[in-house]
Amino acid sequence: MVKNSLGRLIPETFHGRPLTPYADPFSLRPTGNVAPRPLRRVNPGAGKLLPGLREAIEAAGLRDGMTIATHHHLRNGDLLLGLVVRELDGLGLRDIRIASSSVHPVHAEIIPYIQKGVISAIECGVNGPIGEMVSKGELSCPVVVRTHGGRARAIISGQVPVDVAFIAAPTCDEYGNMNGFYGPSACGSLGYAHTDAEHARCVVAVTDNLVPYPASPISIPQTLVDYVVPVATLGDPKKIVSTTTRITTDPVGLLIAKYAAQVIEASGLLRDGFSFQTGSGGISLAVADHVRRMMREQQIKGSFGCGGITGYFVDMLEEGLFQGLFDVQCFDLKAVESMGRNRSHMEISADMYANPFNAGAVVNRLDCVILGATEVDVDFNVNVNTESNGYLLHNTGGHSDTAAGAKLAIIVAPSIRGRLPIVKDAVTTVTTPGETVDVVVTERGIAVNDKHVDLKNELRRRKVPVKDIRELQQEIYQITGRPRPLEFADEVVALIEYRDGSIIDVIRKVEE
């Protein structure tokens, strides 16, 4: 074991892979070239349409020990990953690695196939039951959690070679041209699938809306797609929306949003050309509501909103408050509908969105991002992966990517959650390093990172309740008491990879 720069103990290897401990957000530089993929030739008259997933798996040459990918644009409504895994089992394949963009609670259906050895590892973040069982040691399946930008980096660099990408295509023609705008499973942006289509050894488009050639518009072109498979359904787009994509009505949450808006205004960033992203939490969207009103009142024209896009950002675009939206993932059906008709609502890949190892990601141009947290600590480190019980229950998403890229990264969270303090001496799991976090906002006050002396002074001048983060912590502890530390075994069951591929923390098995 070695300590990384945040004092976290990192093993030298994980299931045979040598590990690089995290050092800082920006100094690790890539070497080498973009990973190669095989050339192909499709002659005139050759078709790509196959009758089913089984035939596609066989045609792709998928074998034991290989890696597959799907994407999660239908979020908890996705059925494709389960369909593919059942076919893998039916063909007798074993030791398959999953490198999807995310795994959600709906994918608990693959747990029996992990137990059977069909699936042997997960190279992506997990939300829900699979992460919990891995944390308890009930499921032997190593997990590597990556940010959205970090996943794109890992695939493009060849760190995670994808043998077969199964892309859920809400609209597709028989030659593989596809988009996510239309059809019974329309999900809008296919941002995560772009990277898979460009770098997987074999690409299979799976659709429940096969249309005459050519499909229009084209998000992912025929030149990248090897096979096309029709299925009855890709899933339920209504389940794209979760309870975390609605504005909070809780008075505490609304007060936090008001404070966060005051921080943005005091920062001086809210001016013509302003760029903005919120997370998908109810408080974050309430902050967006304040920002919208301030932009109207001050007649500010922003440049762009980005990330996972909600109907709220669509309204701001249509009001003329932003020039455009960069969308890697639609978070609700209003955003899906907007993407199909508004050319200023632009689909982008996860590579363009947040990969740190390209010629410049969109997150580098962000002025302000609003993010959530399950915990923060007195060094401003943030945890979004594990809950108070220590279980791995959440993917990282774009949290670390946007915090690193934005000029102002604001964490919004209630000071007490489930009778536990939000500000701790040390977070259970470091997801995002404190050196990329600028402000923590709770209903009991605002803590500003010491690197922003001017912002701290301006907020005090405006009589906004600024507190030292340790003062804020002690105030909360007087109500909750000091939490008892969790107990973990030595066994490492998952890695938390920083966006550059270094290891910022690990998940250990929880002692019950």
Side-chain angles (χ1 to χ4, degrees):
M1 293 280 181
V2 295
K3 280 187 179 179
N4 67 17
S5 66
L6 300 176
R8 300 289 163 143
L9 281 172
I10 309 295
E12 294 182 5
T13 62
F14 184 66
H15 292 267
R17 172 192 162 189
L19 303 180
T20 302
Y22 169 84
D24 64 73
F26 302 112
S27 67
L28 185 61
R29 303 192 70 81
T31 57
N33 299 307
V34 171
R37 64 183 303 185
L39 291 168
R40 297 99 114 184
R41 176 167 182 159
V42 176
N43 283 329
K48 300 183 181 180
L49 202 59
L50 296 174
L53 284 170
R54 179 166 295 209
E55 289 79 4
I57 291 168
E58 291 172 334
L62 197 59
R63 300 189 303 275
D64 291 354
M66 286 189 168
T67 301
I68 65 167
T70 61
H71 60 93
H72 73 286
H73 290 97
L74 286 171
R75 294 165 69 87
N76 214 36
D78 173 67
L79 297 180
L80 181 56
L81 179 59
L83 289 172
V84 171
V85 170
R86 284 196 290 276
E87 290 294 348
L88 296 176
D89 182 45
L91 287 165
L93 293 173
R94 295 294 182 268
D95 189 24
I96 300 296
R97 305 170 78 85
I98 291 178
S100 299
S101 53
S102 187
V103 169
H104 283 254
V106 67
H107 300 125
E109 64 179 316
I110 71 171
I111 289 172
Y113 301 98
I114 297 173
Q115 293 166 328
K116 287 176 70 173
V118 180
I119 305 302
S120 60
I122 295 180
E123 293 271 357
C124 65
V126 291
N127 298 282
I130 292 176
E132 179 175 340
M133 291 183 70
V134 167
S135 299
K136 291 177 176 177
E138 296 174 352
L139 207 56
S140 178
C141 182
V143 175
V144 180
V145 180
R146 294 187 170 87
T147 70
H148 289 328
R151 176 180 183 269
R153 171 200 52 75
I155 291 174
I156 292 170
S157 68
Q159 179 192 352
V160 178
V162 174
D163 293 295
V164 185
F166 296 90
I167 298 178
T171 289
C172 189
D173 64 41
E174 65 178 14
Y175 220 47
N177 297 299
M178 72 179 86
N179 68 63
F181 307 156
Y182 313 118
S185 302
C187 61
S189 175
L190 295 176
Y192 302 118
H194 281 264
T195 306
D196 303 21
E198 291 171 0
H199 296 278
R201 184 180 58 80
C202 180
V203 177
V204 179
V206 185
T207 186
D208 56 2
N209 185 35
L210 191 66
V211 298
Y213 182 91
S216 177
I218 297 171
S219 293
I220 295 176
Q222 62 192 46
T223 53
L224 300 174
V225 177
D226 298 280
Y227 303 107
V228 177
V229 174
V231 294
T233 180
L234 293 172
D236 183 358
K238 293 186 182 68
K239 294 183 179 177
I240 293 173
V241 183
S242 72
T243 55
T244 59
T245 56
R246 299 175 186 140
I247 291 180
T248 183
T249 56
D250 174 46
V252 170
L254 292 173
L255 181 59
I256 294 168
K258 176 185 170 185
Y259 287 159
Q262 290 175 319
V263 172
I264 295 170
E265 190 169 37
S267 72
L269 295 169
L270 192 61
R271 59 186 185 278
D272 283 345
F274 179 64
S275 55
F276 188 42
Q277 177 174 335
T278 66
S280 58
I283 298 175
S284 297
L285 295 178
V287 180
D289 188 49
H290 279 282
V291 168
R292 180 183 187 179
R293 277 183 269 166
M294 288 190 292
M295 292 178 76
R296 281 179 185 157
E297 291 165 3
Q298 299 173 38
Q299 297 185 324
I300 291 169
K301 174 91 174 191
S303 56
F304 70 89
C306 77
I309 295 296
T310 63
Y312 220 84
F313 271 75
V314 171
D315 290 341
M316 295 175 79
L317 174 68
E318 294 180 349
E319 234 182 291
L321 297 178
F322 288 116
Q323 291 179 36
L325 300 179
F326 288 125
D327 193 338
V328 72
Q329 175 187 17
C330 294
F331 271 162
D332 60 29
L333 297 181
K334 188 170 185 175
V336 173
E337 187 271 334
S338 163
M339 179 157 266
R341 61 176 169 75
N342 190 338
R343 293 304 95 193
S344 296
H345 184 166
M346 297 171 280
E347 180 174 351
I348 62 171
S349 68
D351 174 37
M352 179 171 171
Y353 171 51
N355 178 5
F357 289 175
N358 61 23
V362 167
V363 295
N364 294 355
R365 304 284 297 180
L366 264 177
D367 284 323
C368 178
V369 63
I370 305 296
L371 297 164
T374 58
E375 299 172 329
V376 299
D377 67 25
V378 294
D379 294 317
F380 287 84
N381 298 310
V382 178
N383 173 20
V384 299
N385 297 120
T386 50
E387 290 282 355
S388 56
N389 49 22
Y391 298 156
L392 174 61
L393 292 178
H394 307 288
N395 197 358
T396 299
H399 201 283
S400 312
D401 298 316
T402 51
K407 294 184 180 75
L408 182 66
I410 300 175
I411 305 298
V412 291
S415 63
I416 300 170
R417 183 179 283 135
R419 293 180 290 180
L420 293 171
I422 196 77
V423 183
K424 301 177 68 176
D425 294 328
V427 289
T428 305
T429 306
V430 181
T431 306
T432 296
E435 52 212 303
T436 63
V437 173
D438 302 298
V439 182
V440 174
V441 179
T442 75
E443 80 282 8
R444 297 180 187 279
I446 299 166
V448 181
N449 196 314
D450 286 342
K451 65 183 180 179
H452 292 294
V453 176
D454 290 346
L455 176 59
K456 190 181 294 186
N457 291 338
E458 178 62 22
L459 287 168
R460 283 178 170 148
R461 189 188 69 79
R462 294 177 182 227
K463 302 192 184 307
V464 180
V466 175
K467 296 175 181 175
D468 181 87
I469 196 163
R470 292 180 185 277
E471 177 191 356
L472 183 61
Q473 178 200 31
Q474 291 307 311
E475 186 179 315
I476 299 168
Y477 275 11
Q478 286 177 9
I479 300 168
T480 64
R482 185 177 291 274
R484 287 191 306 174
L486 296 169
E487 294 188 7
F488 295 95
D490 292 335
E491 181 184 354
V492 174
V493 295
L495 301 179
I496 306 298
E497 217 180 66
Y498 191 58
R499 60 197 301 256
D500 62 7
S502 63
I503 306 304
I504 196 163
D505 212 338
V506 299
I507 306 292
R508 288 185 165 79
K509 178 182 169 185
V510 176
E511 292 277 24
E512 298 290 348

